[in-house]
Amino acid sequence: MFKNIFPLSLIIGLRFFGLFVVLPVLSVYALEMEGSSHFLAGAVVGSYALTQILFQVPFGVMSDKFGRKQTLFVGLIIFIIGSVICALSDNIYMLLVGRFLQGAGSIGAVVSAMISDLVKEEQRGKAMAVMGGTIAISFSVAMIVAPIVGGHWGIDKLFWITAVLSVFALIILFTLVPNPPKIAHSYDKTETKTKDVFKDKLLVQMYITFLFHSSIMTMAFFLIPIVVTGSVESGGFGWQKAELWKVYLPALIFGLLAMGPSAVFGEKYGKGREVFLISIVAIFLGFFLMGFSSSVSIFTVGVVLFFIGFNMFEPLLQSFVSKTAKIHQKGTALGVANTFAYVGIFFGGILGGFVMDSFDRQTLTIIVAMLSILWFVWILGMNNPSARANIYLDLSVYEKSKILSLEHHEAVFEIYFNETENIGVIKYEKALIDEDTLRGMIRV
């Protein structure tokens, strides 16, 4: 599994590093541009999320229809062009164009879909944990590299680094990433429309979970540096920006450690909904401490709790969407899920900024608390994403016609064939039937 997944995780890690590495200094860089204003500088920061919202689903659909590798190639090329434009920018509008293009290369859902192609569902939690861990490491390294490179050699060099790393990602794509297996299914063309990924109630519940998750995350990342570096008179702790690592480092460590148990209990033991509920409680408690503490130590504990809750979702969210969607809809469903995530980022930033500008962090905490309660109730009403299981059938032993005879059985969710490995796959509802019974029904 690791041999297949690591190259893809490295590609997404390099790409996210290129995005993270400019965030700590991007607003300052934008304000120095010709024709800039605070509004346009803010647009530069947020424009990436806006084009991610617009292009996640098209890229997911394209990967389903034309292939994962081809779509990843197109997305990386667009991202490289956008990075080069940002590096060469001498005015705010050129920088805006570059940032829009960076976001337009929306390959996150495609990578997740490709991982789901290469890895059996029973191993998908571990695979997503590897990818999530790679992204978390990228974030950590970027926070260190950004002020050093940007301060000594210029912020434009960060964009050149981003472009070069993306070229390396292209090389990895065509030298180390295996081709996905060839899949055959019986769905007709009328079932491949984007609207079909909204017909499954569980998928829709997962989309809304993405929205809650990303919006609250954005409000947290908005709040933390403001409080830590704010003046004591304004309710902050008066730290320098260079000291932020003292808060983020323990949070990142504990957050990464939480991902392993989350994947095990969510995937291996089928307790995904329970893991989500515990995660929401940790996020709620963490934000409460961040909002109402006057001690930097208690505030840091709150940040750690928040990261634990936030990271417990990471190995499961993408996995559950990919295992819930039908085989021909994975890229589309993941594109929709990531679109909801970026909508959350966009509106979470707007809401956080408005509340902090008009009120205070206590008010923001109360709003997050109410959102967390709604989120908790939403998850309570969700079926466990691990309620479905797969049977893998050797086609040299089992006949395709026998397998397809179960296509309309009430307990069978989906049937498809992995022609590369000569395997038939039946996805079924565990509460309605067991594996032995299904095998008995198709035994020659």
Side-chain angles (χ1 to χ4, degrees):
M1 180 199 75
F2 187 77
K3 182 180 178 181
N4 289 340
I5 298 311
F6 182 71
L8 283 168
S9 297
L10 192 55
I11 288 172
I12 203 69
L14 289 173
R15 185 173 176 278
F16 270 100
F17 176 84
L19 295 169
F20 291 144
V21 79
V22 299
L23 287 181
V25 290
L26 184 58
S27 58
V28 177
Y29 182 58
L31 282 170
E32 294 172 351
M33 288 283 175
E34 179 185 342
S36 185
S37 65
H38 283 88
F39 172 77
L40 289 174
V44 165
V45 175
S47 56
Y48 165 79
L50 183 60
T51 44
Q52 283 282 323
I53 293 169
L54 295 175
F55 287 97
Q56 281 291 330
V57 173
F59 267 78
V61 172
M62 190 164 68
S63 77
D64 285 335
K65 291 185 177 180
F66 303 111
R68 312 290 191 215
K69 271 194 173 183
Q70 296 87 330
T71 307
L72 286 175
F73 173 77
V74 172
L76 285 170
I77 290 294
I78 293 173
F79 185 72
I80 291 169
I81 294 172
S83 300
V84 171
I85 290 174
C86 288
L88 295 174
S89 296
D90 57 5
N91 65 76
I92 191 66
Y93 298 103
M94 188 175 177
L95 184 61
L96 264 173
V97 170
R99 287 289 289 169
F100 276 123
L101 282 173
Q102 280 191 314
S106 306
I107 63 170
V110 183
V111 171
S112 297
M114 194 167 183
I115 287 176
S116 71
D117 291 339
L118 295 170
V119 177
K120 291 182 179 180
E121 287 189 5
E122 292 76 11
Q123 297 177 315
R124 202 166 291 157
K126 294 179 182 178
M128 295 299 176
V130 170
M131 186 177 74
T134 304
I135 294 172
I137 292 169
S138 297
F139 175 80
S140 304
V141 175
M143 294 302 103
I144 298 171
V145 170
I148 296 174
V149 174
H152 287 86
W153 294 284
I155 297 170
D156 61 311
K157 303 302 186 297
L158 296 174
F159 286 110
W160 285 117
I161 290 173
T162 297
V164 171
L165 290 177
S166 298
V167 172
F168 278 116
L170 276 176
I171 294 171
I172 292 169
L173 176 65
F174 289 103
T175 58
L176 297 178
V177 176
N179 290 317
K182 184 179 178 181
I183 301 294
H185 54 74
S186 60
Y187 306 113
D188 60 45
K189 293 182 179 179
T190 61
E191 291 186 278
T192 61
K193 296 178 181 178
T194 301
K195 67 179 181 180
D196 289 332
V197 299
F198 290 94
K199 292 180 179 178
D200 190 312
K201 180 182 177 182
L202 182 55
L203 270 179
V204 174
Q205 289 174 319
M206 292 302 300
Y207 300 152
I208 302 301
T209 295
F210 270 80
L211 184 69
F212 277 116
H213 185 250
S214 60
S215 59
I216 293 177
M217 171 206 71
T218 306
M219 286 185 270
F221 278 110
F222 184 84
L223 177 70
I224 292 167
I226 290 177
V227 175
V228 173
T229 63
S231 65
V232 176
E233 293 78 13
S234 64
F237 300 122
W239 287 19
Q240 297 298 311
K241 293 182 179 64
E243 296 180 285
L244 276 169
W245 68 269
K246 296 178 182 178
V247 173
Y248 282 126
L249 184 60
L252 287 168
I253 291 172
F254 281 98
L256 287 173
L257 291 175
M259 291 175 69
S262 168
V264 170
F265 282 98
E267 296 281 359
K268 184 177 181 180
Y269 296 110
K271 301 293 184 182
R273 183 177 61 179
E274 290 78 4
V275 171
F276 285 174
L277 293 173
I278 294 170
S279 302
I280 295 169
V281 171
I283 289 171
F284 174 88
L285 293 175
F287 224 104
F288 186 85
L289 292 179
M290 288 190 290
F292 290 96
S293 64
S294 56
S295 162
V296 69
S297 299
I298 295 176
F299 183 88
T300 302
V301 171
V303 176
V304 170
L305 275 174
F306 175 84
F307 267 71
I308 289 173
F310 173 76
N311 279 23
M312 285 175 70
F313 275 94
E314 286 300 307
L316 300 179
L317 282 175
Q318 302 275 352
S319 172
F320 284 166
V321 170
S322 66
K323 82 164 46 171
T324 302
K326 291 186 176 180
I327 190 69
H328 67 305
Q329 297 173 337
K330 287 180 183 178
T332 305
L334 286 162
V336 171
N338 284 336
T339 298
F340 272 77
Y342 282 106
V343 169
I345 291 172
F346 183 73
F347 284 105
I350 291 175
L351 179 60
F354 171 77
V355 173
M356 288 295 289
D357 191 39
S358 305
F359 303 99
D360 50 32
R361 63 173 160 136
Q362 288 78 22
T363 304
L364 182 61
T365 300
I366 292 170
I367 291 173
V368 170
M370 291 189 293
L371 288 174
S372 297
I373 292 170
L374 287 174
W375 191 9
F376 191 92
V377 173
W378 180 259
I379 297 296
L380 273 179
M382 184 175 75
N383 291 328
N384 205 310
S386 298
R388 293 170 182 162
N390 290 320
I391 301 176
Y392 300 94
L393 303 167
D394 187 343
L395 294 179
S396 63
V397 177
Y398 293 90
E399 295 180 3
K400 280 188 177 181
S401 59
K402 285 274 190 178
I403 297 172
L404 287 172
S405 68
L406 298 178
E407 193 168 22
H408 300 293
H409 191 285
E410 62 173 353
V412 174
F413 177 75
E414 176 180 34
I415 293 175
Y416 62 91
F417 300 99
N418 180 335
E419 295 184 345
T420 302
E421 299 177 15
N422 201 36
I423 292 173
V425 182
I426 301 175
K427 181 179 288 188
Y428 66 97
E429 303 285 351
K430 292 189 290 185
L432 299 179
I433 200 168
D434 59 61
E435 180 175 343
D436 290 338
T437 302
L438 273 175
R439 285 183 180 273
M441 294 170 68
I442 56 175
R443 194 165 285 126
V444 178

